[in-house]
Amino acid sequence: MTAFLATPGEGPPSGTVPGWACEGPGAGGKNRRVCHAAARLEMGSLWEEFNRLGTEMIVTKAGRRMFPTFQVKLSGLDPSADYVLLMDFVPLDDKRYRWGWGWGAMGARGLRPGGAEPPPRPRRYAFHSSSWLVAGRADPAAPGRVHFHPDSPAKGAQWMRQIVSFDKLKLTNNLLDDNGHIILNSMHRYQPRFHVVLVDPRRDSERFAHENFKSFSFPETQFMAVTAYQNHRITQLKIASNPFAKGFRDGEPEPWCGGTLSPPRAAAQQKGRGAGGRAAPPLLPRGRGALAAVAPPGFPAPPFQPLAYPPGVYVGAKPRAGPYPLPPLRPAGFSSAATTFGYGQQ
């Protein structure tokens, strides 16, 4: 990352400070209570890892939170002054993208992970692996919105005391959203921006509005807005690093329909043998609820083991009581002489 910390009228320091950013050199004329403000991006290494793959953020009609969450550590504020913190999102270019592959000129239209343009190459045609490709010009810009941190306004001492997290921010693609979420266009690239605004107590504070704020951008937080993840590596990384994705990581492995029952369940099935040695319908094995048939009396079992659905139990990963009594589940066309579920009619 090449972000740097700078004060008004000065260029970047001789040794760049990883994870820190500000407006950049020449940001003069700022109020002394904001000119020395600095912000450090938290979880910078995680952001970098996503950026190398090409970060994607889900947008939905109802609104979806960002992951990684945008968090910063502030310094250089006036402890006794009041500040408002807010975020907005700006398009990175005037293009719309698609995720695809095919034949084309090497390096002609694709994007490298992280959004970097590929270097010029000889005009050779070869097979593209899956990547982001330019699909056309950008859609009309979505209504511009800003997200205010819910603790705003607050004293500088409070902002500097702890990490500032924008975990309530949500992204949506609903142009008619009335919940205050950030509206973005799917398949477009965006750069989040963070702003520190001084609450000026002067009556004519509007005259000094351009002096009372400072903006911060972190290149590693750029992302593609999508309605579903396109790059499977992004999906895997989000599952591995998101604490709310625990169920995807360490869910117990469960056999599919027709798989081997665990020893305790197999023993329970043996105890359920009826008169004449005919086995009772087997218990519902743990699995993902594939469809199965109930064999009528006297008919041979199909190649796979048929399943009996216990009444009042959902067919899912694990048996659980339903919220209301369920009717007996019988296949369509079921009769005492034949069944059409799983094997042919008699």
Side-chain angles (χ1 to χ4, degrees):
M1 191 194 65
T2 58
F4 58 84
L5 168 64
T7 54
E10 298 180 357
S14 56
T16 58
V17 183
W20 291 81
C22 77
E23 280 190 316
K30 293 296 183 182
N31 189 302
R32 63 181 179 82
R33 294 182 174 180
V34 297
C35 67
H36 299 294
R40 184 188 68 204
L41 181 67
E42 295 295 313
M43 299 189 298
S45 59
L46 183 59
W47 278 104
E48 288 280 7
E49 193 171 357
F50 275 105
N51 188 51
R52 283 194 294 270
L53 298 175
T55 310
E56 300 174 17
M57 294 289 179
I58 295 289
V59 294
T60 63
K61 294 294 183 183
R64 179 73 68 88
R65 289 192 171 115
M66 296 174 61
F67 184 84
T69 304
F70 190 91
Q71 298 177 329
V72 293
K73 178 67 175 176
L74 290 172
S75 64
L77 303 181
D78 186 336
S80 60
D82 289 313
Y83 296 89
V84 170
L85 306 186
L86 55 96
M87 284 188 68
D88 67 351
F89 296 76
V90 293
L92 278 169
D93 50 42
D94 60 349
K95 299 179 179 63
R96 178 169 46 86
Y97 295 86
R98 66 180 177 88
W99 180 261
W101 50 269
W103 290 90
M106 293 182 62
R109 303 177 69 189
L111 283 176
R112 280 186 167 184
E117 294 290 344
R121 295 180 179 178
R123 195 72 174 176
R124 298 188 290 121
Y125 284 83
F127 186 78
H128 278 303
S129 60
S130 296
S131 62
W132 286 107
L133 306 175
V134 176
R137 294 193 61 82
D139 296 334
R145 284 185 175 179
V146 296
H147 174 83
F148 288 82
H149 193 281
D151 293 341
S152 298
K155 298 293 183 183
Q158 177 179 335
W159 291 126
M160 294 187 292
R161 186 180 304 124
Q162 57 195 6
I163 295 174
V164 178
S165 176
F166 285 85
D167 54 345
K168 303 297 184 185
L169 186 153
K170 289 187 177 182
L171 309 177
T172 183
N173 58 351
N174 181 10
L175 298 178
L176 303 179
D177 175 77
D178 58 358
N179 296 310
H181 303 328
I182 298 294
I183 302 176
L184 304 178
N185 287 324
S186 179
M187 298 301 184
H188 291 64
R189 297 171 63 206
Y190 290 92
Q191 171 67 64
R193 294 191 306 181
F194 170 61
H195 309 277
V196 178
V197 182
L198 173 68
V199 179
D200 196 334
R202 291 175 289 187
R203 290 186 177 180
D204 55 348
S205 59
E206 293 83 1
R207 292 175 48 200
F208 309 99
H210 63 286
E211 303 177 1
N212 293 333
F213 75 93
K214 195 167 186 179
S215 301
F216 304 85
S217 294
F218 300 92
E220 63 270 39
T221 60
Q222 299 173 5
F223 65 86
M224 185 78 70
V226 296
T227 54
Y229 293 123
Q230 307 296 308
N231 186 346
H232 72 279
R233 293 184 178 88
I234 290 292
T235 307
Q236 294 169 350
L237 182 56
K238 293 218 177 190
I239 290 175
S241 54
N242 191 342
F244 294 101
K246 185 175 184 294
F248 292 93
R249 289 194 301 272
D250 52 14
E252 59 174 329
E254 296 177 339
W256 290 88
C257 170
T260 305
L261 293 174
S262 60
R265 296 170 70 82
Q269 178 179 335
Q270 290 293 331
K271 292 181 180 179
R273 288 186 174 276
R278 181 181 296 135
L283 298 175
L284 181 66
R286 297 184 178 182
R288 299 194 178 180
L291 295 177
V294 181
F299 276 75
F304 57 87
Q305 274 193 319
L307 304 179
Y309 296 92
V313 173
Y314 282 127
V315 180
K318 295 179 180 179
R320 65 193 72 181
Y324 50 84
L326 297 179
L329 297 180
R330 289 178 178 267
F334 182 92
S335 70
S336 60
T339 178
T340 60
F341 221 76
Y343 38 108
Q345 294 185 352
Q346 290 283 346

